[in-house]
Amino acid sequence: MAGQSNEHDISLRQKAARAQQQAIQYYRAGNYKDALIEGKKAADIDRSNTQLQNLVGAIAIETDDPATAVQYLQHSLSINEHQAETQYLLGNAFIKLDLTEQAVHAFNYALTLNPMHANAALNLGLCLNRLKEAGKAERAFRRAIEIQPNHPEANNALAELFIRKTQYDKAEKHAYLAIDGDPNRIELILTLAKALRLQHRYADAESIYRAALVKHPHNALLLIEIGSVLREQNNFDDAEKEYEKALEFAPNSKDVLRSAGAFYQSIRKSELAAGLYKRYLKLKPHDGGMLNNLAIVLRDINDF
């Protein structure tokens, strides 16, 4: 009997090892759905293997299945709670579930176990920001930057925080540091340009946008931002050209339709604005703010 039991255990371990290998292969190939299926097979056979539980948790986060991630990560931590990366992954899963306070606890624990975990400090700051604890969020972002001075996301988050605090010079400094960390990220460029615009440095902001446009010539978001900064300088003709290009490149983008519609509404081209708002509402029919905007421009052109 003992021999049969040992053979059975060996057979199960072999099955788990094969499923784990298959999961890793699928994961490396970008096939996260099948990676999760195989990973769960392996983890369910070998419940005491924290590596397998963590693998399933990581894959589940990638496949936008945070509930499964929490299940396996918490099981792993029940075996050994002193795993910094597992606490970090658990925090990420909690974020996806909108369990912000639980995420804060997980990120704090991860930092206790590994004080040099820059991404845990970043995500802790993002959660604290969501909880409207700006002072604590700032300290968390600064901690991430102390660990990794050119951390793009942490510097960008701190820049955005300073924008909300109307400390635009500090926002500009950290926006530049963010771009140093990752020069090609559009959202980082947009934060820097926003900080410049709020200081009324419109020419500098336009220059930033146009330099980015050289690298990303068909990026509709950059085009609408150029249009917006031109509008702020009352250069409506050139602004309209940028909005037209943005609509050409991204005719079904809600951001482009909303921004272009607002532009045409602001220059009293109500029929064009109404057409763009109607297109937007086909994509998002129950947007109350947009329904209100459409009602206003329809009233302007007596089209009720």
Side-chain angles (χ1 to χ4, degrees):
M1 293 292 289
Q4 288 180 345
S5 177
N6 287 339
E7 288 176 8
H8 179 69
D9 290 344
I10 291 169
S11 174
L12 285 176
R13 285 198 296 271
Q14 288 173 340
K15 284 183 181 178
R18 284 196 298 270
Q20 179 182 9
Q21 189 60 38
Q22 190 69 63
I24 292 169
Q25 289 176 1
Y26 281 135
Y27 184 81
R28 288 174 177 166
N31 183 352
Y32 300 134
K33 180 182 176 182
D34 287 332
L36 183 60
I37 291 169
E38 294 299 321
K40 287 171 71 174
K41 283 182 189 175
D44 290 343
I45 292 170
D46 193 351
R47 294 284 287 162
S48 64
N49 187 328
T50 57
Q51 230 178 1
L52 279 176
Q53 310 304 315
N54 295 340
L55 175 66
V56 173
I59 296 171
I61 291 170
E62 292 277 3
T63 56
D64 204 24
D65 185 0
T68 295
V70 168
Q71 176 188 343
Y72 284 85
L73 294 170
Q74 285 185 329
H75 179 68
S76 175
L77 292 167
S78 74
I79 299 168
N80 176 13
E81 67 178 346
H82 302 296
Q83 302 178 78
E85 190 64 21
T86 309
Q87 295 285 358
Y88 168 71
L89 289 172
L90 181 62
N92 290 340
F94 281 141
I95 287 176
K96 287 178 174 285
L97 291 167
D98 289 325
L99 298 172
T100 308
E101 291 181 356
Q102 289 93 322
V104 166
H105 176 77
F107 292 133
N108 271 321
Y109 206 152
L111 285 163
T112 299
L113 297 168
N114 179 8
M116 299 302 290
H117 202 311
N119 286 337
L122 164 67
N123 287 358
L124 173 62
L126 294 173
C127 288
L128 291 167
N129 220 9
R130 187 185 290 185
L131 294 171
K132 303 191 184 305
E133 297 189 42
K136 290 181 180 179
E138 181 178 340
R139 288 194 291 275
F141 294 142
R142 288 191 181 280
R143 181 171 181 176
I145 293 164
E146 285 173 9
I147 298 166
Q148 186 180 330
N150 281 352
H151 195 301
E153 292 88 356
N155 276 294
N156 190 63
L158 194 52
E160 291 178 339
L161 188 149
F162 282 132
I163 285 173
R164 290 194 296 275
K165 294 170 71 173
T166 69
Q167 296 177 358
Y168 304 131
D169 54 339
K170 291 181 179 179
E172 179 185 349
K173 171 191 168 184
H174 284 283
Y176 272 117
L177 287 170
I179 291 171
D180 285 345
D182 190 347
N184 295 315
R185 290 267 291 279
I186 294 294
E187 63 266 32
L188 309 184
I189 292 163
L190 295 178
T191 301
L192 172 59
K194 184 177 182 180
L196 295 171
R197 287 165 67 174
L198 289 166
Q199 296 175 75
H200 306 292
R201 291 164 55 189
Y202 300 118
D204 290 341
E206 184 180 349
S207 177
I208 293 290
Y209 290 137
R210 291 199 182 278
L213 199 60
V214 172
K215 296 179 181 178
H216 308 278
H218 295 160
N219 189 287
L221 289 178
L222 286 173
L223 290 165
I224 62 174
E225 292 297 339
I226 293 171
S228 179
V229 79
L230 290 168
R231 181 182 65 177
E232 288 171 351
Q233 299 172 83
N234 297 320
N235 186 348
F236 299 115
D237 290 341
D238 287 341
E240 185 169 5
K241 292 175 186 175
E242 302 300 332
Y243 283 109
E244 287 173 350
K245 282 189 270 186
L247 286 163
E248 178 185 345
F249 291 140
N252 295 315
S253 163
K254 292 194 294 291
D255 287 334
V256 172
L257 291 169
R258 180 179 57 247
S259 297
F263 168 73
Y264 284 117
Q265 184 178 358
S266 72
I267 62 171
R268 310 297 292 177
K269 291 190 176 182
S270 299
E271 290 187 2
L272 288 173
L276 293 168
Y277 289 157
K278 287 176 181 177
R279 284 165 58 185
Y280 176 99
L281 286 164
K282 285 182 180 179
L283 300 170
K284 193 175 180 182
H286 304 297
D287 187 319
M290 187 58 69
L291 288 166
N292 184 59
N293 290 342
L294 178 59
I296 291 169
V297 294
L298 289 176
R299 186 165 59 243
D300 288 342
I301 57 179
N302 298 315
D303 192 25
F304 275 108

